[in-house]
Amino acid sequence: MKHGYFLKNRIFKCSISMILAATLCVSGVVLPPQDTYAAVKKLTLNQAQSLAVANSAAIEKTEGKLATQEAAYKQSVKSISLKKKRLNTFSWSPLLSFKFPSKPSYSQEFEFTYKPIQIQGMINDYQHQFSADKVNEYNKVRGYYVSILSDQEKIDFSQRRIDAMNRVIAKNKPLVLAGKAKQSDVDTMEASVKALSNSMASDMRDLEAVKKKLGKAIGMDVSTGYEFENPFRTAEIPRSALKTLTQSTLDNDQNYYVACTAASTANVKVNTYYQILKSHYKSGDMAIISGYINQVLAGQTVSSKAFKKAYDEFIVAIDRYWEGKKKILFFKFPKVWFKSENDGTGYVEDEPYATYEAAMECQEARLEKEQMADELTQQVEDTFNSYVSMKNAYKSLCEQVDDAKAKLEKEEVLNLAGELSYEELKSSQDSYAELQNSMLLALADYSKALYELDKLTCGAVSSYLETGSADMFAVGSGVSFIDEEIASGAYYFIKPVVQNLEFIFSIHIPEDFSVQVSDYELIVNGESIAGKVPSDENIRHMMLTLDAVDTCIVRIYDGDKVVCDCNIDPQVYSDKLNIVSGYNVRSAENSKIGSYTSTETTYGTVKLGFKVDEGSKVAYVRLKYDGDKFIGGEELVDVNKPFEYLTLMSISLKDIELEMYDKDGNHLFDGYFDTNNNVICKNPE
């Protein structure tokens, strides 16, 4: 059983700050009377966090940088396109200065290939920074709430002690006059009241200062008239969760993300330079440096001195062909006379060692990334150990407070009976008060440790306490026909982990969902990714090239029974799953009448081939779509001949209805393409 919880992070646009502020101004709750009957407005932690996000200058700054880089990317692509066009275009001036089409230089080729990738990497960094800024705002507000509630509790506790002491003083002053009490006891109590009042005044000043900080963060004055939600949290997180907490940190930490993207971008930079050189120079010359570059690209460490020596040899080798003289008839000419600006070192004249420097930068970036991963892993472990220490300290103080309370209750009875002096009783009262105060501070430290661990793990602690998992994200052969009734509330989520070139896929099924869902399967281009997975678990896989994804399906299971197939768009990171309910699943095994093949031709059409079962009596078909439209016209298509038509390129076979005819042209029945099994099926009657 888990103790405590964290509020879910919700993301709001900047414009919502005014709406929330207005809501807070009109939604008051009346608390029990203290000194006066006063209506106060309750400001929940979730509301304050949302307002802080909407009011954050850091988030606004990141949004501005992101917009700038997106504009720079568009401009870069446009500029490169124009430069390429100018290079490939013949032009001349009125003075008969001709410019013929030419190939890009070494530096130009690199710019054309790498610059858009570089800017896209910066865009990814700012997008990730945007999420990190939100987490920072959440954690900042949590810290203010812990401080506010801690100060309020200390002030309330001090006030209760002062009130209790004043009652004792008022009771003992008449007894002093009657000779039944000591004046020294009254003087001691009055001195204690004064010291406690001074301490309480200091706490009140601290409270006002923290309220001002919170007000500045959320953009509204909360110095008076607001009640703050209790932010103190306790939780039992087993050490077995440390591994998943660490992985979440590595997946989402902003600084590590930047280090990973820097390493990935550096790797792309090296590979870009290397491929340009390979396309220009002979393989024999490239062999001098290829081994070193391939090691760097594979994540291995190479000696910079040995690589530099080999690169020097490469520079000499590519110019060796232009040494000596070339004989034409009876004359000899220096070979260098025939050397163009793109031959030998001329091609890399501006930056001859660019590839070497890029490789060394790539190696350094990789080593920095690995070092940061080690440091983050250790930091998570240390912070987790700190959380455990704070938890144990709080539990120990709770036990001490219980013991001190029991002891104090006994001594109060003895004092009333005259068997214990006030000095002895006051010592126990002070000890109990100090323990209570220490317990309160320990609870605050405990909460701060939890929040700090949650911040470090980028919200994984919140996810663990809410779902039991540190992951923050947290139809088959023979099925052919479903009478659909779409059920609502089911979604899929795709989270790219750019730094590891991976993605995390998960689905969300509400508890009250009308369809029973036990497992799911992600199928891309007909191939299963990770197989059948329980519905409350996710899939972690290497990223797929979106251009190569033709079909992406989420297959939903209820035990061993397939419920349905849900088509999704892999370029949309979160969307609704159209899971059917109230379904009647009918087997396709008995309705199968043949098979088909679908082949894309080199000139942009699709060729369909049919193979029907002999007993089906099907000789001709017509392909219908959009209700009353036919592909290739209304003429019947011979199933023994391949059918080819351009329209198929824009129509999915799933959306095509088949009309089946016998050899005499009589209509037999209608059917459909079962694209999961590449078979033709008869519609159920």
Side-chain angles (χ1 to χ4, degrees):
M1 181 177 180
K2 300 176 180 61
H3 302 283
Y5 63 96
F6 278 69
L7 293 174
K8 293 183 178 178
N9 294 341
R10 296 179 182 173
I11 310 305
F12 289 89
K13 302 279 187 182
C14 288
S15 60
I16 205 167
S17 61
M18 291 188 292
I19 298 174
L20 280 173
T23 302
L24 291 170
C25 291
V26 300
S27 59
V29 292
V30 179
L31 295 182
Q34 295 178 2
D35 296 330
T36 59
Y37 289 92
V40 298
K41 297 176 283 293
K42 185 168 185 177
L43 183 62
T44 68
L45 182 59
N46 190 43
Q47 288 172 327
Q49 287 174 329
S50 299
L51 287 168
V53 168
N55 195 54
S56 171
I59 290 178
E60 185 177 357
K61 184 177 179 180
T62 301
E63 287 178 326
K65 290 180 177 179
L66 178 60
T68 300
Q69 290 303 320
E70 288 174 341
Y73 179 83
K74 293 179 181 178
Q75 182 62 36
S76 174
V77 172
K78 183 178 180 180
S79 175
I80 288 172
S81 176
L82 292 174
K83 288 179 180 179
K84 285 183 176 181
K85 185 177 180 180
R86 283 195 293 267
L87 284 173
N88 295 327
T89 303
F90 170 80
S91 62
W92 62 283
S93 69
L95 298 177
L96 297 182
S97 174
F98 298 98
K99 180 183 177 298
F100 293 94
S102 60
K103 293 182 178 180
S105 66
Y106 180 55
S107 57
Q108 287 175 324
E109 188 69 47
F110 176 76
E111 178 191 359
F112 296 165
T113 306
Y114 179 71
K115 189 174 182 180
I117 298 174
Q118 183 183 35
I119 297 176
Q120 185 61 55
M122 296 176 69
I123 290 174
N124 292 339
D125 286 348
Y126 286 129
Q127 287 174 336
H128 199 274
Q129 179 66 51
F130 187 70
S131 299
D133 288 342
K134 290 177 181 177
V135 173
N136 290 337
E137 292 298 329
Y138 289 155
N139 197 68
K140 182 170 66 176
V141 170
R142 286 171 176 173
Y144 291 150
Y145 262 63
V146 169
S147 296
I148 288 173
L149 267 293
S150 296
D151 288 339
Q152 285 181 339
E153 289 295 331
K154 286 190 289 184
I155 291 169
D156 290 344
F157 185 70
S158 296
Q159 187 62 58
R160 289 195 296 271
R161 288 187 64 195
I162 290 172
D163 292 343
M165 288 181 178
N166 284 332
R167 285 195 295 270
V168 174
I169 291 172
K171 183 178 180 179
N172 278 273
K173 279 184 176 181
L175 297 178
V176 170
L177 296 175
K180 297 181 179 180
K182 298 179 181 179
Q183 180 63 43
S184 59
D185 288 345
V186 174
D187 294 339
T188 300
M189 284 187 284
E190 288 178 338
S192 297
V193 168
K194 184 177 180 180
L196 200 54
S197 297
N198 291 335
S199 176
M200 187 175 71
S202 177
D203 291 335
M204 293 176 72
R205 288 191 295 271
D206 292 341
L207 174 61
E208 293 307 310
V210 177
K211 283 184 177 181
K212 286 182 179 179
K213 291 179 181 179
L214 175 62
K216 184 177 180 180
I218 66 177
M220 57 187 292
D221 184 7
V222 294
S223 56
T224 58
Y226 284 94
E227 177 190 358
F228 301 93
E229 179 186 1
N230 186 346
F232 297 141
R233 299 289 182 266
T234 61
E236 292 291 341
I237 305 176
R239 190 165 290 273
S240 59
L242 186 57
K243 182 178 179 180
T244 50
L245 293 176
T246 302
Q247 185 59 58
S248 175
T249 306
L250 295 176
D251 286 346
N252 299 284
D253 181 80
Q254 172 62 18
N255 292 330
Y256 183 64
Y257 177 87
V258 172
C260 289
T261 53
S264 299
T265 305
N267 191 287
V268 172
K269 185 177 182 180
V270 175
N271 193 49
T272 301
Y273 272 129
Y274 181 49
Q275 295 301 325
I276 294 173
L277 291 180
K278 280 179 67 177
S279 66
H280 195 79
Y281 295 111
K282 295 182 179 180
S283 58
D285 295 333
M286 290 302 299
I288 301 173
I289 59 174
S290 291
Y292 292 99
I293 295 177
N294 287 328
Q295 279 184 277
V296 171
L297 293 175
Q300 301 173 10
T301 303
V302 300
S303 167
S304 59
K305 291 183 178 179
F307 187 17
K308 177 64 165 52
K309 182 179 178 181
Y311 206 92
D312 290 338
E313 294 175 6
F314 168 73
I315 294 297
V316 172
I318 60 178
D319 258 354
R320 190 174 296 135
Y321 304 102
W322 308 104
E323 295 176 356
K325 297 184 178 182
K326 183 175 183 180
K327 185 177 180 181
I328 301 178
L329 298 177
F330 304 105
F331 303 98
K332 292 183 178 180
F333 302 93
K335 290 183 178 179
V336 72
W337 288 9
F338 302 92
K339 181 181 177 183
S340 72
E341 63 179 11
N342 283 336
D343 290 328
T345 55
Y347 185 61
V348 295
E349 185 176 7
D350 293 338
E351 299 176 286
Y353 284 87
T355 305
Y356 168 78
E357 293 170 356
M360 290 296 94
E361 290 172 0
C362 178
Q363 178 169 284
E364 183 179 354
R366 176 183 58 80
L367 293 174
E368 288 179 359
K369 181 190 79 169
E370 293 174 354
Q371 180 182 355
M372 186 174 291
D374 293 338
E375 291 174 353
L376 267 180
T377 300
Q378 186 61 51
Q379 191 177 355
V380 172
E381 184 175 355
D382 292 343
T383 307
F384 184 84
N385 290 336
S386 176
Y387 145 74
V388 173
S389 298
M390 294 298 103
K391 178 183 68 174
N392 292 337
Y394 172 68
K395 287 184 175 181
S396 175
L397 282 167
C398 286
E399 294 174 358
Q400 293 179 50
V401 166
D402 290 341
D403 293 341
K405 182 180 180 181
K407 178 183 177 184
L408 182 60
E409 289 174 348
K410 293 178 181 178
E411 291 184 350
E412 286 175 343
V413 174
L414 294 175
N415 176 258
L416 291 174
E419 298 178 12
L420 188 71
S421 68
Y422 176 74
E423 287 82 0
E424 293 173 309
L425 177 62
K426 182 179 181 301
S427 176
S428 294
Q429 288 176 333
D430 291 342
S431 177
Y432 176 60
E434 289 173 3
L435 281 173
Q436 281 191 311
N437 190 51
S438 296
M439 182 183 71
L440 175 64
L441 294 176
L443 178 57
D445 290 339
Y446 184 7
S447 298
K448 288 178 180 178
L450 265 176
Y451 287 137
E452 187 62 31
L453 183 60
D454 191 50
K455 176 186 176 183
L456 179 60
T457 58
C458 307
V461 171
S462 294
S463 177
Y464 179 84
L465 295 176
E466 290 171 1
T467 66
S469 170
D471 189 344
M472 293 191 297
F473 307 94
V475 183
S477 177
V479 174
S480 67
F481 184 80
I482 298 175
D483 296 329
E484 296 186 1
E485 176 188 335
I486 301 300
S488 62
Y491 283 82
Y492 74 87
F493 302 93
I494 303 174
K495 179 186 181 297
V497 186
V498 178
Q499 57 268 45
N500 295 329
L501 299 179
E502 296 176 333
F503 70 88
I504 298 174
F505 184 90
S506 62
I507 66 172
H508 167 70
I509 307 296
E511 292 183 1
D512 58 348
F513 197 56
S514 58
V515 179
Q516 187 67 32
V517 177
S518 62
D519 308 273
Y520 71 97
E521 185 178 10
L522 180 62
I523 302 172
V524 178
N525 293 346
E527 297 291 332
S528 177
I529 305 295
K532 190 176 174 183
V533 178
S535 60
D536 59 349
E537 296 183 9
N538 61 49
I539 295 172
R540 192 182 186 104
H541 195 271
M542 296 300 294
M543 283 187 176
L544 304 172
T545 304
L546 292 180
D547 292 341
V549 177
D550 296 322
T551 60
C552 193
I553 295 170
V554 179
R555 181 163 291 168
I556 304 299
Y557 291 89
D558 177 9
D560 294 329
K561 181 176 65 176
V562 175
V563 176
C564 69
D565 283 352
C566 302
N567 290 296
I568 67 170
D569 184 351
Q571 298 189 43
V572 178
Y573 288 160
S574 178
D575 203 354
K576 187 175 180 179
L577 284 173
N578 290 325
I579 300 177
V580 298
S581 62
Y583 50 85
N584 296 314
V585 180
R586 297 180 178 134
S587 175
E589 297 298 332
N590 297 328
S591 60
K592 175 184 172 183
I593 60 171
S595 61
Y596 72 92
T597 59
S598 176
T599 308
E600 291 187 16
T601 67
T602 56
Y603 44 91
T605 63
V606 171
K607 182 182 290 186
L608 278 176
F610 301 97
K611 185 178 180 181
V612 297
D613 299 338
E614 293 182 0
S616 67
K617 299 181 181 180
V618 175
Y620 299 97
V621 297
R622 283 199 305 182
L623 284 69
K624 186 166 66 174
Y625 69 100
D626 284 352
D628 57 353
K629 299 178 182 178
F630 293 92
I631 296 175
E634 297 186 9
E635 296 295 325
L636 299 181
V637 176
D638 190 339
V639 295
N640 295 315
K641 297 179 181 180
F643 177 74
E644 186 174 344
Y645 202 73
L646 183 63
T647 310
L648 286 177
M649 290 295 291
S650 59
I651 302 174
S652 171
L653 292 179
K654 289 184 178 181
D655 299 325
I656 295 175
E657 299 177 35
L658 289 171
E659 292 183 354
M660 314 288 190
Y661 297 85
D662 62 17
K663 63 181 181 179
D664 297 322
N666 299 315
H667 181 260
L668 296 173
F669 44 77
D670 294 334
Y672 62 94
F673 290 101
D674 179 358
T675 56
N676 291 326
N677 302 295
N678 281 32
V679 297
I680 304 169
C681 298
K682 175 183 176 182
N683 283 346
E685 297 177 357

